[in-house]
């Protein structure tokens, strides 16, 4: 079993150091919300790879369950929470100060967790969404009960085409709200 450092900030957020899973460098953040615990797994560039919101429980327990038996967690207390850094530039002002919308709130102020991760330019206030195929595929697979049988059949026939169609729906929804797609740098 490998050791993984976890940093607990004063506001109750737990953030892991980097680890590799399936050849991808990742880190995880577990934070309390008003209605449970949000665990988000990020790629090294700040892009969301997976996100799970549970009702009740503690951030440490949720993180431990999410990470699984791959790692032994070692917790270190730190002071102030350090927001997630996202490698991207604002499409409006060109600034590289992009962060998660949820990082603009304290953990106790997080009332609703968006299904599609939202980001904010800290310079001009422009909002962005970000969703990749990996995250969308996990989202769909975790919510199969929300789909009609005909949609599930379509997904079984050609999963890539189904995911593409889902992304097109998402683009239209966010375009109507004037929320742009974030171009995350690799």
């Amino acid at each position: 079993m490998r050791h993984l450092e976890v940093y607990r900030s004063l506001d109750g957020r737990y953030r892991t150091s980097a680890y590799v899973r399936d050849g991808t460098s990742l880190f995880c953040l577990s934070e309390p919300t008003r209605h449970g615990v949000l665990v988000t797994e990020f790629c090294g560039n700040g892009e969301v790879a997976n996100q799970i919101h549970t009702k009740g429980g503690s951030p440490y327990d949720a993180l431990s369950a999410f990470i699984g038996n791959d790692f032994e967690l070692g917790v270190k207390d730190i002071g102030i929470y350090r927001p997630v850094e996202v490698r991207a530039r604002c499409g409006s002002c060109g600034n590289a100060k992009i962060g998660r919308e949820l990082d603009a709130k304290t953990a106790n102020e997080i009332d609703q967790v968006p299904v599609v991760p939202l980001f904010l330019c800290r310079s001009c206030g422009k909002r962005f969404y970000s969703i990749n195929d990996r995250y969308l595929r996990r989202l769909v697979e975790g919510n199969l009960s929300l789909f009609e049988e005909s949609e599930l059949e379509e997904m079984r026939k050609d999963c890539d085409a189904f995911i593409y169609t889902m992304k097109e729906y998402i683009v239209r929804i966010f375009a109507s709200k004037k929320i742009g797609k974030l171009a995350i740098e690799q």
Side-chain angles (χ1 to χ4, degrees):
M1 187 179 306
R2 296 178 289 168
H3 181 77
L4 183 64
E5 290 294 331
V6 179
Y7 304 97
R8 178 177 46 209
S9 57
L10 293 173
D11 63 356
R13 288 176 163 132
Y14 288 75
R15 181 177 175 159
T16 71
S17 56
Y19 56 92
V20 176
R21 189 178 282 174
D22 298 327
T24 302
S25 179
L26 304 163
F27 67 93
C28 208
L29 173 65
S30 183
E31 56 198 327
T33 67
R34 282 193 188 159
H35 306 290
V37 176
L38 176 63
V39 178
T40 309
E41 187 174 48
F42 297 89
C43 298
N45 59 7
E47 185 174 34
V48 174
N50 198 359
Q51 178 175 280
I52 296 171
H53 189 243
T54 60
K55 304 258 190 257
S58 76
Y60 178 83
D61 291 341
L63 176 64
S64 183
F66 183 87
I67 292 293
N69 296 327
D70 296 340
F71 298 99
E72 173 190 28
L73 304 180
V75 178
K76 290 184 178 181
D77 287 317
I78 59 170
I80 297 174
Y81 167 71
R82 187 187 75 186
V84 174
E85 295 176 19
V86 181
R87 282 190 288 215
R89 292 201 170 274
C90 177
S92 292
C93 72
N95 203 304
K97 294 182 180 179
I98 306 291
R100 286 187 329 143
E101 257 192 12
L102 294 178
D103 281 346
K105 299 178 179 187
T106 64
N108 294 333
E109 294 174 328
I110 299 173
D111 189 33
Q112 295 200 2
V113 176
V115 173
V116 176
L118 296 173
F119 296 85
L120 186 67
C121 176
R122 294 186 193 120
S123 292
C124 72
K126 173 82 173 149
R127 295 175 77 203
F128 299 94
Y129 74 92
S130 176
I131 192 162
N132 58 34
D133 289 355
R134 179 182 184 171
Y135 176 76
L136 185 54
R137 200 174 296 273
R138 285 186 174 149
L139 187 62
V140 167
E141 290 169 357
N143 295 284
L144 293 176
S145 64
L146 299 176
F147 295 95
E148 301 285 328
E149 186 56 42
S150 61
E151 293 169 320
L152 293 173
E153 185 59 35
E154 184 182 324
M155 184 175 67
R156 285 189 281 269
K157 281 184 190 171
D158 189 348
C159 189
D160 290 339
F162 183 80
I163 294 298
Y164 179 81
T165 301
M166 294 297 296
K167 281 174 42 177
E168 291 298 311
Y169 288 139
I170 292 167
V171 166
R172 281 188 232 128
I173 290 167
F174 283 98
S176 70
K177 296 180 179 193
K178 300 197 181 342
I179 299 174
K181 184 169 188 334
L182 186 62
I184 295 183
E185 300 166 2
Q186 299 303 319

